[in-house]
């Protein structure tokens, strides 16, 4: 199809989407904030009518003092059947199972027709962790985040993963790109497309999924594995990326990757011994030798800097915890991330979106030519491979 024909088709599709969102109570803006293999994510606004009828939406947005959401639109005509019948339902059920935790993106509702599936999600407006690490690294002229900031973010991540495991969900694709930040600096775990239920205790998984650079050695070696232990490995990779601005093992070929893993991570000068110890504890080749989440939470690096121990690891289902989102009067114990330099602020609901309008504030993303990527994205494993 010629360029102008394609543009017209895209415009028509977009207008259909606007209508479909409108009839479900959302004003879809043309601000595209992301895209995936078969999806596009747009900024949208919940109508007051919709908020009245959806308690998840109203309780959450009331606490946030705005009506913005992210709507992920999956094209069912483009996506392979297996994706729409298997992986998408899995993503939705994982998000429903993990509702509601301050550090996991909330799914407010879904709707669909024969062409498209819509996921109405909590908005995380500050981009992903990878972009954040790169921006801060450029700002500091030194790769990686300060350990103090890394600790604050890592706490939130550990809290999110602990919550997922507790409700029986293993993520299996933990990586910096799947960790978003909201406008208050809260970390939000997302992209549960590869997530799986943990099943009976000690049951093993056998599918390769995730991105090579974050994938545990037992998965690269095609062994049966425990999803929780594979997530722990990925946590070690993410922590290394946070504090050093680099992935510890960067190779596209699994066998070369294994060679690097056996050698172990190389740390940059200046990194504290406690942080090295925690990363090493997570990046153990033998899955059962890896620190578990309780040990991570009790590690001296995690506890240094006056950080309070979250009770999330001991939480019982349905219980409100300190780590839950600030709905109504519940103040979060987590401090918003104050390290964002003001000039790098994304946009703020009240300041940037005039009342009663659907104006589209510019979502902050570092300009690609402004920075040399310190982390190269390692291409994801083909989704087809996951079970
Ligand atoms: N809740 C959200 N708030 C803000 N941005 C979001 C949100 N959800 C997704 N995005 C943006 O949209 C992009 C694609 O979303 P997502 O990762 O869910 O799609 P995907 O189809 O799973 O992607 P992939 O095919 O890469 O796995 C994300 O990288 C992120 O930039």
């Amino acid at each position: 199809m010629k360029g102008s024909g394609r543009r017209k088709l895209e415009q028509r599709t977009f207008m259909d989407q606007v209508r479909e969102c409108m009839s479900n109570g959302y004003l879809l803006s043309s601000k595209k904030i992301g895209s995936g293999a078969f999806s596009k994510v747009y900024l949208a606004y919940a109508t007051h009518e919709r908020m009245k009828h959806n308690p998840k939406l109203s309780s959450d947005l009331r606490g946030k003092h705005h009506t913005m959401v992210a709507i992920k639109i999956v094209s069912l005509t483009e996506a392979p059947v297996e994706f729409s019948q298997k992986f998408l339902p899995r993503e939705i059920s994982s998000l429903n199972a993990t509702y509601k935790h301050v550090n996991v993106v909330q799914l407010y509702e879904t709707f669909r027709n024969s062409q498209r599936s819509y996921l109405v999600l909590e908005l995380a407006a500050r981009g992903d962790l990878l972009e954040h690490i790169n921006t801060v690294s450029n700002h500091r002229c030194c790769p990686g985040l300060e350990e103090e900031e890394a600790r604050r973010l890592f706490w939130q991540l550990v809290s999110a993963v602990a919550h997922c495991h507790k409700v029986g969900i293993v993520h299996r694709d933990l990586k910096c790109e799947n960790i978003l930040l909201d406008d208050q600096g809260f970390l939000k775990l997302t992209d549960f497309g590869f997530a799986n239920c943990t099943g009976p205790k000690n049951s093993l998984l056998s599918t390769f999924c995730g991105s090579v650079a974050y994938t545990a050695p037992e998965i690269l070696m095609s062994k049966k594995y425990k999803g929780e232990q594979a997530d722990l490995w990925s946590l070690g990779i993410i922590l290394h990326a946070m504090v050093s601005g680099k992935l510890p093992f960067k190779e596209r070929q699994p066998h070369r990757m294994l060679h690097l893993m056996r050698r172990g991570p190389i740390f940059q000068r200046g990194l504290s011994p406690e942080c090295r110890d925690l990363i090493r504890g997570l990046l153990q080749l033998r899955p059962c030798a890896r620190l578990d989440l309780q040990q991570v939470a009790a590690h001296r690096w995690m506890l240094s800097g006056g950080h309070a121990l979250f009770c999330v690891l001991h939480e019982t289902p349905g219980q409100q915890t300190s780590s839950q989102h600030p709905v109504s009067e519940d103040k979060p114990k987590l401090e918003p991330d104050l390290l964002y330099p003001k000039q790098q602020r994304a946009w703020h609901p009240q300041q940037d979106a005039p009342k009663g309008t659907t104006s589209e504030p510019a979502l902050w993303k570092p300009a690609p030519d402004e920075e040399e990527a310190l982390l190269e994205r390692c291409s994801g494993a083909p989704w087809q491979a996951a079970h």
Side-chain angles (χ1 to χ4, degrees):
M1 197 187 296
K2 281 201 179 135
S4 65
R6 196 179 321 120
R7 261 197 306 281
K8 273 197 187 136
L9 181 65
E10 279 171 7
Q11 276 170 1
R12 209 172 328 127
T13 306
F14 182 71
M15 289 319 294
D16 288 344
Q17 293 169 353
V18 169
R19 267 190 296 276
E20 285 159 18
C21 283
M22 195 59 209
S23 62
N24 283 282
Y26 296 93
L27 305 169
L28 189 71
S29 85
S30 57
K31 179 80 204 168
K32 190 157 80 173
I33 51 181
S35 50
F38 312 110
S39 65
K40 292 190 173 65
V41 182
Y42 290 94
L43 170 69
Y45 296 81
T47 59
H48 289 290
E49 197 51 31
R50 190 67 217 137
M51 283 178 61
K52 263 196 256 165
H53 291 102
N54 183 326
K56 277 188 183 176
L57 194 65
S58 55
S59 72
D60 203 45
L61 293 187
R62 214 181 307 127
K64 291 173 187 274
H65 307 292
H66 66 69
T67 59
M68 290 182 289
V69 293
I71 297 193
K72 177 167 168 171
I73 306 175
V74 181
S75 167
L76 300 175
T77 51
E78 285 166 29
V81 177
E82 207 188 0
F83 178 86
S84 39
Q85 292 190 353
K86 185 167 167 188
F87 294 94
L88 185 59
R90 211 181 254 185
E91 178 171 11
I92 293 171
S93 66
S94 301
L95 283 166
N96 282 330
T98 53
Y99 183 84
K100 127 172 221 162
H101 188 281
V102 70
N103 300 122
V104 181
V105 159
Q106 321 264 299
L107 175 66
Y108 299 128
E109 65 175 317
T110 60
F111 46 91
R112 63 181 286 163
N113 57 27
S114 58
Q115 309 243 296
R116 285 172 280 274
S117 187
Y118 292 83
L119 276 67
V120 183
L121 298 160
E122 176 183 22
L123 177 70
R126 268 195 175 153
D128 66 40
L129 181 62
L130 178 71
E131 294 167 338
H132 180 62
I133 295 171
N134 285 335
T135 306
V136 173
S137 299
N138 281 351
H139 209 73
R140 297 175 64 211
C141 299
C142 163
L145 309 177
E146 304 254 15
E147 282 189 42
E148 186 53 36
E149 184 185 15
R151 183 182 297 113
R152 186 160 51 230
L153 290 172
F154 198 63
W155 256 119
Q156 298 182 52
L157 180 59
V158 169
S159 174
V161 174
H163 177 71
C164 294
H165 288 183
K166 199 170 62 59
V167 297
I169 300 292
V170 284
H171 189 283
R172 302 201 297 175
D173 195 16
L174 293 173
K175 58 179 175 180
C176 293
E177 297 92 317
N178 288 339
I179 295 164
L180 304 179
L181 300 166
D182 78 0
D183 65 340
Q184 296 177 68
F186 282 104
L187 177 151
K188 304 279 173 181
L189 181 58
T190 188
D191 202 348
F192 285 75
F194 287 139
N196 205 350
C197 297
T198 42
K201 228 181 163 43
N202 299 325
S203 67
L204 295 170
L205 301 163
S206 59
T207 316
F208 184 99
C209 53
S211 304
V212 177
Y214 294 83
T215 300
E218 61 272 23
I219 303 181
L220 292 181
M221 288 188 273
S222 308
K223 290 186 178 167
K224 295 214 172 228
Y225 64 92
K226 286 190 185 165
E228 290 95 335
Q229 290 171 338
D231 279 351
L232 286 163
W233 175 275
S234 308
L235 284 178
I237 302 285
I238 293 168
L239 180 55
H240 186 283
M242 280 186 188
V243 292
S244 63
K246 294 201 241 344
L247 293 167
F249 316 119
K250 222 174 59 181
E251 264 297 343
R252 280 178 197 274
Q253 297 301 324
H255 67 279
R256 288 207 208 126
M257 193 73 169
L258 283 169
H259 175 73
L260 294 182
M261 288 169 167
R262 282 193 196 103
R263 189 205 60 195
I266 296 172
F267 298 110
Q268 66 187 31
R269 246 183 279 146
L271 188 66
S272 71
E274 292 82 8
C275 190
R276 290 170 192 231
D277 186 70
L278 177 53
I279 294 171
R280 275 198 210 99
L282 287 164
L283 298 182
Q284 288 292 313
L285 283 183
R286 278 191 312 124
C288 58
R290 262 165 235 160
L291 296 177
D292 65 22
L293 286 172
Q294 299 273 358
Q295 290 168 322
V296 171
H299 192 276
R300 56 189 187 282
W301 184 78
M302 296 294 276
L303 298 175
S304 53
H307 274 257
L309 187 65
F310 286 141
C311 55
V312 67
L313 298 174
H314 310 286
E315 184 189 336
T316 54
Q319 195 184 339
Q320 291 282 315
T321 71
S322 58
S323 58
Q324 294 199 304
H325 208 277
V327 281
S328 62
E329 284 77 49
D330 282 348
K331 285 263 187 305
K333 295 247 166 67
L334 260 177
E335 283 215 56
D337 176 7
L338 300 174
L339 285 189
Y340 284 95
K342 274 219 167 63
Q343 64 272 29
Q344 288 171 1
R345 179 179 70 87
W347 44 276
H348 192 275
Q350 268 82 44
Q351 290 158 20
D352 296 335
K355 268 210 171 89
T357 69
T358 57
S359 70
E360 296 147 23
L363 187 81
W364 167 72
K365 292 248 180 206
D369 55 348
E370 256 176 29
E371 64 180 41
E372 191 192 355
L374 286 155
L375 295 168
E376 261 177 38
R377 282 163 206 252
C378 218
S379 59
W383 63 268
Q384 287 94 332
H387 294 289

